[in-house]
Amino acid sequence: LTNHLQAEYDFVVVGGGLAGLAAGVAAADRGMRVAVLEKSATFGGVTAYSNGQLWVPGSHLAAAEGIQDSPQDGARYLRQLGMGFASEPHIQAYVTGGPSVVRYFEDAIGLSLRVIRGLPDYYHPDFDASVPEGRYLEVEPFFGERLGAQRDLLRTSPHQPYRLTHQDMWELGGGGRSYAWDRTLLEEREKQDALCMGTGIAAYFLAGAIAKGVDLIPSVVVTELVTTAGRVAGVRVEGHDGVVGARAGVLLATGGYDWDSRSMNAFEGIPGIESAAPPTVVGDHLRLAARIGARTTQLPKPVRLGYRLPGRTDEGHAMTGIFRHPSFPHAILVNRAGQRFCDESFYPSIGHALKIIDGRSQQFVNWPCWMVFDQEYRDTYAIGQVTPGDDLPAEWDVQSASTIGELAGLIGVDAEGLQAQVARFNSACADGVDPEFKRGARPWSRRSYGDEGSPVHPNLGAVATAPFYAMRPTLVGTGIPTVGLDTEPSGQVIGADGVPVPGLYAAGNSSALLETGAGYQSGVANTRSLIVAYTSVADAQKAG
Ligand SMILES: Cc1cc2nc3c(=O)[nH]c(=O)nc-3n(C[C@H](O)[C@H](O)[C@H](O)COP(=O)(O)OP(=O)(O)OC[C@H]3O[C@@H](n4cnc5c(N)ncnc54)[C@H](O)[C@@H]3O)c2cc1C
């Protein structure tokens, strides 16, 4: 690893998550001298924390498994998801670019992907261009020894069981009962230093960048974009004299702005969101690009529920995890009226509903909210690292009572409303269908957010066994923002005057998610990072 910043490159990449590393690989592969400058001591960013799913309609991998699909069906699906907020050129760039970047990175760095069989990949089975499976891809295990002495440069996930593939996880019984998994495979994978999911994909790209001779520079902060005759031609780096030149251009791949509370409050539509991303993700791309007149775009996105991970910190900051727990049987989410307000097994349903404001009361209708659950839930499911039988941490402030009415009093929720809601939910569970919010009707929810070992239903089970509990979740960002730099489909950043800024590109979470508009589909964030990293490099080389 060079680790010495040179005075001049063909292409400079700011940020070493998936978008940044992929751009480094693509640039070096095209014969460009390229540096990836990363603020933290490790590479991988939020990507290394993620599930690592890619979402690619019409890949050769799906075709090889005999799955019928096409990029154009993917485009129809994205159009419906986007609700008119998505951009058609970006959709086209996504669906045509997806299958080709998969092939390209397989050849360029030996990226080894496979279809996640058995994961019904449609969030929206009711969309006319959904397919039952084949669009979700994940990496085959990467073995840490391939990184040699650079293994320490890789960020690893505190959120995911990254020694396992999705397939492994389901074969072991799924996420709901992870505490009861047979640990033989896990122990073997730990010995092998097997890296899967988001950590695995980051590892493939870190190894690829090293092999291609990319200058990977950790622990540096880019503080300014430097322009020459209106063209971005370099960057300034904290503690480094002079300008680092970038003959063909600069790519901003600094992720979102999760840890900048001012941006989060300004843009996300609900205040107080914490983050599951690394603390270095603070929106530097917005500040750097604003100073040279770049334009941003905002698109509606759901927020996620979170919970504090007791005793765990990330670079000195308290860590927040993703609160999937209300989707399992024997739990519901309620607002202060004691009413359910969403399909608890489908996070976009939760996350859009949380942002609704009632203009009469000038309050969020569904925030704060509480997960109300019963003893059967406590006896069956872990909450984070807390397995059944263990005490719940005091900092979660979980309340419990022997009746639902008493519990409502403890948390300040309307008691009659909550009692009636629990009764309605319990009778729906007896019928096995949820007429109010169709919870558990989506195949995706049953597999990804359910307990397939439940004797009744993966997502439905009565809240009926005393004592009863209530836990108040927090809000958490996953690095995927509502606001990003406005870009051409190639990745070139657009100025406030509507004209592309020569030499400036953005990829990954730094650029607005114009492919999905008002919706989100897991796997899109990682896939678009790869596509736009590739097209930015190609565009810069042509223009430079
Ligand atoms: C728990 C979880 C699960 C997820 N699961 C999925 C999934 O399955 N599929 C999917 O597609 N998406 C998923 N996501 C989201 C997805 O992983 C990310 O959106 C995506 O990978 C972001 O990639 P990126 O390269 O844009 O940014 P990041 O990976 O965040 O990388 C940005 C990098 O830039 C660095 N940086 C910041 N500022 C500077 C600066 N000034 N100078 C130098 N470096 C800087 C940061 O330190 C960071 O390393 C998940 C996210 C989470 C939290």
Side-chain angles (χ1 to χ4, degrees):
L1 197 65
T2 309
N3 259 348
H4 295 299
L5 198 52
Q6 308 292 307
E8 179 81 22
Y9 291 94
D10 293 318
F11 200 60
V12 168
V13 178
V14 189
L18 185 59
L21 291 171
V25 166
D29 202 36
R30 299 172 79 97
M32 298 167 96
R33 281 173 308 133
V34 56
V36 176
L37 311 183
E38 166 55 49
K39 193 189 237 179
S40 78
T42 51
F43 290 82
V46 190
T47 312
Y49 285 6
S50 82
N51 290 66
Q53 294 169 355
L54 301 178
W55 190 81
V56 184
S59 74
H60 69 281
L61 297 166
E65 302 259 357
I67 296 167
Q68 296 262 316
D69 194 11
S70 73
Q72 287 322 315
D73 276 351
R76 283 165 57 212
Y77 183 98
L78 287 176
R79 237 170 260 138
Q80 212 166 340
L81 189 69
M83 290 175 60
F85 288 91
S87 137
E88 188 60 29
H90 288 76
I91 291 177
Q92 289 301 331
Y94 185 94
V95 297
T96 54
S100 38
V101 289
V102 166
R103 274 191 194 276
Y104 169 71
F105 286 112
E106 280 178 343
D107 293 343
I109 58 165
L111 178 67
S112 183
L113 291 166
R114 65 172 175 210
V115 172
I116 311 181
R117 291 308 301 254
L119 175 60
D121 69 341
Y122 39 29
Y123 270 23
H124 299 280
D126 46 324
F127 285 11
D128 60 0
S130 65
V131 293
E133 61 173 350
R135 290 178 181 165
Y136 277 131
L137 310 179
E138 69 175 327
V139 291
E140 300 279 5
F142 176 100
F143 297 99
E145 65 184 10
R146 283 178 58 186
L147 281 167
Q150 272 79 54
R151 172 67 176 82
D152 288 349
L153 284 178
L154 178 71
R155 193 180 275 282
T156 53
S157 180
H159 300 296
Q160 311 298 348
Y162 65 84
R163 303 290 186 189
L164 302 175
T165 63
H166 287 81
Q167 207 99 34
D168 296 331
M169 242 175 42
W170 290 313
E171 277 164 24
L172 287 171
R177 299 180 195 242
S178 54
Y179 65 91
W181 286 347
D182 173 355
R183 295 197 51 88
T184 317
L185 179 64
L186 262 172
E187 281 161 14
E188 186 188 326
R189 292 283 180 77
E190 266 161 29
K191 269 195 224 127
Q192 299 169 318
D193 192 20
L195 307 167
C196 307
M197 299 195 179
T199 306
I201 199 168
Y204 276 97
F205 278 87
L206 179 59
I210 293 167
K212 294 278 174 201
V214 175
D215 264 6
L216 292 167
I217 320 274
S219 308
V220 283
V221 182
V222 171
T223 54
E224 193 184 332
L225 296 171
V226 178
T227 56
T228 306
R231 179 181 183 83
V232 175
V235 297
R236 278 189 202 281
V237 173
E238 202 171 73
H240 179 86
D241 290 336
V243 171
V244 178
R247 207 185 43 77
V250 172
L251 175 77
L252 295 174
T254 61
Y257 43 78
D258 271 47
W259 286 87
D260 179 35
S261 56
R262 201 169 167 141
S263 297
M264 290 298 270
N265 281 354
F267 301 144
E268 297 306 303
I270 187 163
I273 305 177
E274 298 170 347
S275 180
T280 45
V281 173
V282 290
D284 283 350
H285 55 294
L286 297 180
R287 280 182 289 279
L288 293 167
R291 286 200 203 110
I292 60 162
R295 184 163 87 183
T296 56
T297 289
Q298 183 160 23
L299 299 157
K301 288 277 165 285
V303 64
R304 303 290 293 266
L305 291 175
Y307 68 115
R308 280 288 171 87
L309 302 175
R312 286 165 74 179
T313 55
D314 192 347
E315 300 182 15
H317 296 266
M319 199 176 253
T320 301
I322 295 174
F323 194 61
R324 298 160 166 250
H325 306 81
S327 65
F328 295 116
H330 313 296
I332 54 174
L333 265 186
V334 297
N335 58 21
R336 66 173 82 75
Q339 301 303 300
R340 292 176 64 217
F341 54 88
C342 58
D343 169 358
E344 294 96 331
S345 67
F346 190 51
Y347 72 83
S349 169
I350 303 173
H352 284 298
L354 288 172
K355 293 187 180 182
I356 299 169
I357 293 174
D358 177 356
R360 292 164 307 167
S361 63
Q362 200 55 24
Q363 286 185 320
F364 286 102
V365 181
N366 302 314
W367 180 249
C369 65
W370 291 262
M371 176 170 89
V372 171
F373 53 110
D374 71 355
Q375 187 59 38
E376 192 158 353
Y377 185 103
R378 275 292 281 129
D379 291 341
T380 314
Y381 301 112
I383 304 182
Q385 300 300 314
V386 183
T387 52
D390 286 347
D391 290 339
L392 293 163
E395 70 180 271
W396 289 351
D397 193 25
V398 176
Q399 301 291 323
S400 73
S402 53
T403 66
I404 290 288
E406 202 187 321
L407 185 70
L410 290 176
I411 58 176
V413 159
D414 182 86
E416 278 180 23
L418 184 60
Q419 282 162 330
Q421 173 65 83
V422 169
R424 265 198 322 279
F425 180 73
N426 289 353
S427 103
C429 291
D431 297 340
V433 282
D434 168 23
E436 287 185 282
F437 296 101
K438 299 193 169 48
R439 169 173 168 162
R442 282 163 213 272
W444 182 88
S445 298
R446 294 199 290 269
R447 173 128 273 204
S448 281
Y449 271 63
D451 174 16
E452 290 183 311
S454 161
V456 188
H457 185 289
N459 307 106
L460 292 173
V463 181
T465 310
F468 300 99
Y469 301 86
M471 175 169 173
R472 190 175 153 176
T474 61
L475 298 170
V476 67
T478 56
I480 301 171
T482 68
V483 169
L485 294 169
D486 198 359
T487 56
E488 297 286 353
S490 66
Q492 191 171 13
V493 172
I494 298 173
D497 55 1
V499 177
V501 181
L504 186 62
Y505 297 85
N509 288 334
S510 295
S511 63
L513 275 96
L514 286 158
E515 300 87 344
T516 54
Y520 185 67
Q521 176 83 26
S522 73
V524 166
N526 285 338
T527 308
R528 68 195 288 274
S529 288
L530 298 183
I531 297 168
V532 182
Y534 180 83
T535 55
S536 295
V537 166
D539 196 85
Q541 194 174 38
K542 204 163 55 177

